[in-house]
């Protein structure tokens, strides 16, 4: 009788090469051998130990990092807290949130390489000291004015950092130098000063009557007392001269092309003191 051949079924034909490929794949064998517990947990979430879920919940809900003793009090008796934490640490290592150890405590933290996502810049307003406010008022009403003139009006020496603080805020600037012995620097206000205090021009500063009405003057004023009327003219006065080119290079004043957009940088605190109020 002639020999007959039984054709293989579709299932047999497909299964044979797949089985052969699996058997010849070292990657699958090594992965299965390296982390059998992890593969089982991923295949069956219910097989994941309950203590891991409990620790996750406790750490996520905590307002501060927790130590192992605190966690152990809330977990079933006999739980190896340290081993469970180490396992959770490995699980969360490649994620956006990591389990980190902080001294003897544990907490969830954003992954270091994602910190830029949560960066938030904010301006923190700082309250000016009374000396800075008085100095600003003198500069506004008496500009151009030197440091020595400010001290003469206030009756006390100007603190080392008072003018620097006002320059950092961008409210005053270096104008030039007074044509006097020692060539002291003269100060004036900026457009940023007008913008911050809602003024269109220096002439809008309150006068004597307005200051009295606001209750800023108490008691009887001396005879001949008056409030100066500052000028908005940015040009140097006859008794002023421009800063030297060397001083511009040292950053003691804004360059011509930058003066309209940037406030004058503060003078270096390490520079040698000049006479007459530098």
């Amino acid at each position: 009788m002639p020999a007959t051949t039984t054709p293989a079924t579709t299932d047999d034909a497909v299964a044979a090469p797949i089985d052969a490929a699996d058997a010849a794949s070292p990657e699958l064998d090594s992965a299965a051998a390296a982390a059998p517990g992890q593969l089982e947990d991923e295949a069956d979430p219910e097989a994941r130990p309950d203590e891991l879920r409990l620790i996750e919940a406790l750490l996520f809900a905590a307002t501060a990092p927790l130590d192992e003793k605190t966690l152990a009090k809330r977990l079933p008796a006999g739980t190896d807290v340290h081993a469970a934490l180490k396992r959770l640490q490995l699980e969360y290592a490649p994620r956006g949130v990591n389990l980190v150890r902080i001294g003897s405590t544990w907490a969830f933290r954003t992954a270091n390489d994602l910190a830029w996502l949560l960066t938030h810049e904010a301006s923190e307003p700082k309250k000016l000291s009374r000396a800075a406010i008085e100095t600003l008022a003198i500069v506004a009403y008496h500009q151009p004015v030197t440091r020595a003139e400010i001290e003469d009006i206030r009756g006390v020496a100007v603190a080392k950092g008072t003018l620097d603080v006002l320059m950092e805020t961008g409210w005053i600037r270096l104008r030039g130098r007074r044509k006097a012995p020692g060539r002291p620097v003269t100060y004036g206000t900026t457009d940023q000063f007008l913008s911050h205090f809602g003024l269109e021009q220096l002439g809008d500063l309150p006068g004597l009557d307005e200051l009295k009405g606001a209750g800023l003057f108490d008691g009887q004023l001396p005879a001949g007392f008056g409030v100066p009327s500052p000028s908005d003219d940015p040009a140097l006065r006859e008794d002023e001269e421009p800063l030297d080119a060397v001083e511009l290079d040292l950053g003691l004043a804004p360059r011509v092309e930058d003066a309209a957009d940037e406030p004058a940088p503060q003078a270096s605190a390490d520079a040698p003191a000049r006479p007459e109020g530098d």
Side-chain angles (χ1 to χ4, degrees):
M1 295 179 63
T4 59
T5 302
T6 303
T9 63
T10 303
D11 293 340
D12 294 338
V14 174
I18 291 179
D19 293 342
D22 290 344
S25 175
E27 292 81 6
L28 291 178
D29 293 340
S30 60
Q38 183 177 357
L39 292 177
E40 292 175 1
D41 289 351
E42 293 178 355
D44 184 9
E46 295 183 358
R48 192 166 181 260
D50 287 339
E51 57 264 25
L52 297 185
R53 299 179 63 244
L54 295 174
I55 293 175
E56 282 178 325
L58 291 172
L59 292 176
F60 269 118
T63 57
L66 302 178
D67 57 25
E68 295 182 12
K69 291 183 178 180
T70 302
L71 291 170
K73 294 178 181 178
R74 309 297 295 273
L75 297 174
T79 301
D80 189 343
V81 180
H82 185 75
L85 287 167
K86 284 293 185 181
R87 179 170 176 179
L88 273 179
Q89 190 175 40
L90 292 175
E91 286 186 12
Y92 278 88
R95 301 181 183 180
V97 175
N98 298 154
L99 179 60
V100 297
R101 183 172 183 174
I102 307 170
S104 60
T105 60
W106 296 79
F108 283 110
R109 292 288 186 267
T110 304
N112 289 334
D113 59 331
L114 300 179
W116 60 272
L117 285 172
L118 305 179
T119 300
H120 175 68
E121 297 182 1
S123 299
E124 181 180 356
K126 294 182 179 180
K127 185 178 181 180
L128 290 178
S129 65
R130 179 176 178 178
I133 295 175
E134 292 177 357
T135 301
L136 178 62
I138 292 172
V139 173
Y141 280 98
H142 294 267
Q143 59 185 303
V145 63
T146 66
R147 186 190 194 105
E149 292 167 348
I150 294 173
E151 293 176 344
D152 183 59
I153 295 172
R154 290 192 65 223
V156 296
V158 177
K160 185 177 181 180
T162 300
L163 290 170
D164 291 341
V165 169
L166 294 175
M167 293 181 68
E168 287 177 357
T169 62
W171 292 348
I172 68 172
R173 64 184 178 89
L174 300 175
R175 287 176 50 97
R177 288 191 175 275
R178 182 65 51 78
K179 294 179 182 179
R183 301 176 62 246
V185 171
T186 56
Y187 296 90
T189 55
T190 64
D191 289 342
Q192 193 170 343
F193 166 80
L194 297 176
S195 175
H196 180 83
F197 290 97
L199 304 172
E200 293 185 4
Q201 56 188 358
L202 290 175
D204 293 335
L205 285 169
L208 180 58
D209 294 337
E210 294 172 295
L211 294 174
K212 285 182 178 179
L216 298 179
F217 287 119
D218 296 330
Q220 186 175 1
L221 296 175
F225 180 85
V227 175
S229 298
S231 172
D232 289 286
D233 187 3
L236 297 178
R237 307 289 177 83
E238 293 182 358
D239 61 347
E240 289 181 288
E241 58 185 17
L243 295 170
D244 299 336
V246 175
E247 294 171 325
L248 294 174
D249 291 337
L250 291 175
L252 293 181
R255 296 184 181 275
V256 175
E257 60 270 20
D258 298 334
D261 299 324
E262 298 183 1
Q266 70 178 40
S268 173
D270 298 329
R274 294 177 180 268
E276 295 294 326
D278 266 1

